[in-house]
Amino acid sequence: MQSITRELGRRVTEAMIAGFGDQAVGVDPLLKSTQDPSFGDYQANFAMGLAKRLGRRPRDVAAAVVEKVDVSDLCDPPEIAGPGFINFTITPAAAGRRLQAVPPTADGVTDRVGIAQSPSPDVIAIDMSSPNLAKEMHVGHLRSTIIGDCIARVLEFEGHVVHRINHVGDWGTQFGMIIEHVRRTHPHVLDDPEHLQLGDLEAFYVEARRQFDADPRFADAARKAVVDLQGGDPETLAVWKAFCGESLRHCHVIYDRLDVRVEDRGESFYNDMLAGVVQELGDRGFAEESDGAMCVFLDGFTNKQGDRLPMIIRKSDGGYNYATTDLAALRHRISALGATRLLYVVGIPQKQHFDMLFAAARKAGWAGEGVELTHIGFGSMLSSTGKMFKAREGGTVKLRDLVDEAVERAHKVIEASEQDPDKRRGLSSGQMRAIAETVGTGAVKYFDLSHSLGSDYRFDWDTMLSMDGNTAPYMLYAYARIRSIGREAGVDYAAIPAETPIVLEHDCEIRLGKTLLKLPDVIDQAAREYRPNVLTDYLFELSKAYNLFYDRKRGVRVKDASPESVRLSRLRLCDLTARSLKLGLHLLGIGTLEQM
RNA sequence: GCGCCGGUAGCUCAGUUGGACAGAGCACCGGAUUUCUAAUCCGGCGGUCGGAGGUUCGAGUCCUCCCCGGCGCGCCA
């Protein structure tokens, strides 16, 4: 399945050049899908802008292009409307042909629904999730984890090589008290460091902190542990390593549950590169000493007094901080991983840090012209009352608890449904648990990803678990329903011959077919703009189109449609819808259900 | 003080390098069910897009100023 806007855009561009020669070279035809079906399916908006440059009337410019453009195999004759819009209406026959050409699913690989990969794959490093290992993962890590996963999935789908880098916090002074606390509570840790087990990481951290504050001898030991750690003392390193391993295992329980894959790479990995970073920046005159600290000063950054704002890369006590680590990591991703696109899925409050980091990397020449550096910032997750998200007791909410509650709530909905004689499906308790897991985690992810990245959003259980509206349950239901129709019709969708014609006649068939054709454009836009909600909006549109297609009153019959050619055509539409939904949800990191 | 991000329907949110009368869900009102999964569908109600200027053929979108909210601003990450 190819992008229609690209196809139409190519032809319009040719017609523009045929009509206006060099003056039209490089002019974007501005092709997009229309908002209102009365304007057709796609529109080209270049005429107003081009007319201005040419000193001509927009409608005349549009008319000249319409005269030259050949789209008769795709559309009705293009129409000029308003100030100079050119409207294209895809013919049902052309839409049917394009859908029919989508190859069938192949076993064992991700169904691409006929969408080609990028001919020029990039190596991309995505900085995502990145919790601090000293503590348990909390809700603050949710957005980076699932947004990063979604963007990684989309870019991987496009054929790029993606490193999902989990830049975990495994270094710093707080590990001193952790190490000391491990020693005291698990005295035999060194005998078997791989099998250190901690039931509650958060409680462990809190207790370590309490001891540190309450017991001077503990505090001294903790400080000594920091020194030993930095000095490379083997025994201290072993304890530290054992703790980090255990903490990572806790993280991966959640990653597995959320079906998120990451490459763990702790900050400590870059430790022996830090001195070199500072040395080189200093030698080349990009960094200078200020109040005892080594600082990089960059144009355009000032502090509250209006003085230039430093990026501190070595503290006055000789220690390094996150700016140094991030610079080292950036270099490593470019030079060692070969990445040409570095993405950072980190909250908006850190925007200034990334602005400075990128500016410094450019200045030092570590990131050249050909390297993209992008901070994919996102807003905060707020409670339903609009405040910062906190547990009832006031502390942070563990991510694990959030996921548990989501699944539990989904399970209750399913149980209630099974109690209702009109709704019950006769699910086993095992099936109910499996469905609740997909619906619960899917609901949380979908709700998050359906918001535009930049804005804060209010976390609301009832909305995200609602069957109505732009939610995971609605989408999952639409998918399950289509799969059920296939079973009821006694067909294996995958076995319907690929040459079976798809004929779009009824309005709801035409609408569904044309919506299906938008999928490549949607994925393309989501990838280009790093915007998951482009995908969710589309899935909602597709689900609505399908539900209308299948509606008792306004839709068409499928299972018992006749003649057989119409029945098969509609079953293929069902199949393509299911495949598109499955692919879209997969790119969001959400699994599908054959039944719910 | 400087900077960043927000302010769109009663509520929660979309709005694609500026494009056609500003969209959706929830809520509310009304309609459709001898069920191919109604966990659905259709219709109605509802907005001077925070305010004021400006640029433009055209502004929710760009520029300036102001109001309100959140966040950041030298050795935490």
Side-chain angles (χ1 to χ4, degrees), chain A residues 208-527:
Chain A
R209 169 105 250 162
R210 195 191 67 75
Q211 300 249 24
F212 185 86
D213 292 337
D215 179 356
R217 291 209 327 238
F218 182 98
D220 286 342
R223 286 191 202 94
K224 180 173 185 304
V226 174
V227 175
D228 291 344
L229 185 62
Q230 289 170 342
D233 172 62
E235 199 179 301
T236 309
L237 274 171
V239 177
W240 165 77
K241 208 171 163 187
F243 175 82
C244 289
E246 168 64 356
S247 183
L248 275 171
R249 284 190 285 277
H250 282 244
C251 292
H252 278 272
V253 169
I254 293 178
Y255 292 140
D256 288 348
R257 200 162 175 200
L258 292 176
D259 194 20
V260 170
R261 187 170 49 74
V262 290
E263 302 172 25
D264 299 321
R265 174 140 289 174
E267 294 175 323
S268 61
F269 176 83
Y270 306 99
N271 280 353
D272 56 12
M273 307 175 197
L274 302 181
V277 165
V278 176
Q279 177 80 37
E280 183 173 338
L281 289 173
D283 288 351
R284 295 172 60 199
F286 296 134
E288 57 188 87
E289 205 179 299
S290 171
D291 292 340
M294 279 298 275
C295 305
V296 177
F297 292 99
L298 299 153
D299 294 338
F301 295 93
T302 53
N303 66 13
K304 47 186 138 185
Q305 282 80 38
D307 300 330
R308 50 190 199 149
L309 180 68
M311 181 166 75
I312 295 173
I313 54 174
R314 193 181 62 208
K315 300 187 285 183
S316 53
D317 67 3
Y320 303 104
N321 55 17
Y322 74 134
T324 330
T325 308
D326 278 348
L327 278 168
L330 180 147
R331 279 182 96 175
H332 181 264
R333 287 169 197 185
I334 293 171
S335 62
L337 298 182
T340 54
R341 295 168 68 183
L342 275 61
L343 313 181
Y344 294 82
V345 185
V346 182
I348 283 178
Q350 293 199 50
K351 176 174 163 40
Q352 188 177 54
H353 166 65
F354 285 105
D355 286 346
M356 296 181 83
L357 178 71
F358 297 163
R362 297 283 188 206
K363 189 172 181 179
W366 293 342
E369 291 279 320
V371 175
E372 172 193 340
L373 302 173
T374 302
H375 171 215
I376 301 173
F378 53 84
S380 305
M381 190 171 106
L382 306 174
S383 73
S384 55
T385 56
K387 301 290 175 60
M388 292 302 282
F389 202 96
K390 291 221 168 85
R392 202 166 298 158
E393 312 80 55
T396 54
V397 178
K398 292 179 189 176
L399 191 46
R400 183 174 53 173
D401 291 343
L402 185 93
V403 174
D404 281 344
E405 181 165 358
V407 171
E408 211 37 59
R409 283 175 180 260
H411 193 257
K412 285 208 175 85
V413 172
I414 297 158
E415 270 183 333
S417 173
E418 285 296 294
Q419 300 289 322
D420 185 334
D422 292 335
K423 295 180 179 176
R424 74 174 282 115
R425 313 252 191 262
L427 300 169
S428 71
S429 67
Q431 286 173 313
M432 284 164 64
R433 288 246 66 104
I435 293 170
E437 189 72 25
T438 297
V439 172
T441 58
V444 170
K445 287 186 178 188
Y446 193 98
F447 186 68
D448 189 299
L449 296 170
S450 64
H451 290 82
S452 60
L453 286 191
S455 51
D456 297 346
Y457 75 84
R458 297 184 182 209
F459 193 88
D460 185 74
W461 289 116
D462 293 335
T463 302
M464 75 182 75
L465 286 164
S466 167
M467 279 305 304
D468 296 309
N470 191 8
T471 66
Y474 181 93
M475 248 50 72
L476 290 168
Y477 177 69
Y479 180 84
R481 202 182 182 200
I482 299 171
R483 299 298 296 172
S484 165
I485 290 160
R487 291 191 296 271
E488 284 295 310
V491 298
D492 174 4
Y493 285 130
I496 302 175
E499 59 274 15
T500 305
I502 292 181
V503 179
L504 307 175
E505 279 183 341
H506 193 283
D507 280 349
C508 71
E509 291 178 296
I510 294 169
R511 175 173 154 183
L512 177 59
K514 288 180 175 180
T515 306
L516 286 166
L517 289 174
K518 290 185 186 175
L519 180 63
D521 280 326
V522 168
I523 294 176
D524 207 49
Q525 189 189 356

Side-chain angles (χ1 to χ4, degrees), chain A residues 170-188:
Chain A
D170 63 354
W171 204 250
T173 50
Q174 75 270 45
F175 283 91
M177 63 189 195
I178 292 281
I179 289 166
E180 182 57 21
H181 193 44
V182 171
R183 281 190 178 125
R184 294 190 180 199
T185 55
H186 297 74
H188 304 299

Side-chain angles (χ1 to χ4, degrees), chain A residues 105-113 157 583 586-587:
Chain A
T105 52
D107 287 334
V109 294
T110 301
D111 179 10
R112 304 189 62 85
V113 197
F157 180 80
L583 174 57
H586 170 75
L587 293 176

Side-chain angles (χ1 to χ4, degrees), chain A residues 10 32-33 42 51 76 118 295 329 334 390 464 589:
Chain A
R10 190 173 59 73
K32 45 193 71 172
S33 56
Y42 297 90
D76 295 334
S118 165
C295 305
I334 293 171
K390 291 221 168 85
M464 75 182 75

Side-chain angles (χ1 to χ4, degrees), chain A residues 105 111 113 475 478-484 486 493 512 516 519 539 542 546 570-586 592-594:
Chain A
T105 52
D111 179 10
V113 197
M475 248 50 72
Y479 180 84
R481 202 182 182 200
I482 299 171
R483 299 298 296 172
S484 165
Y493 285 130
L512 177 59
L516 286 166
L519 180 63
L539 292 180
L542 179 59
Y546 183 80
R570 289 177 182 164
L571 283 166
R572 288 206 65 192
L573 278 176
C574 288
D575 182 37
L576 284 171
T577 305
R579 290 170 63 189
S580 299
L581 286 172
K582 183 169 191 166
L583 174 57
L585 288 167
H586 170 75
T592 47
L593 297 161
E594 295 301 305

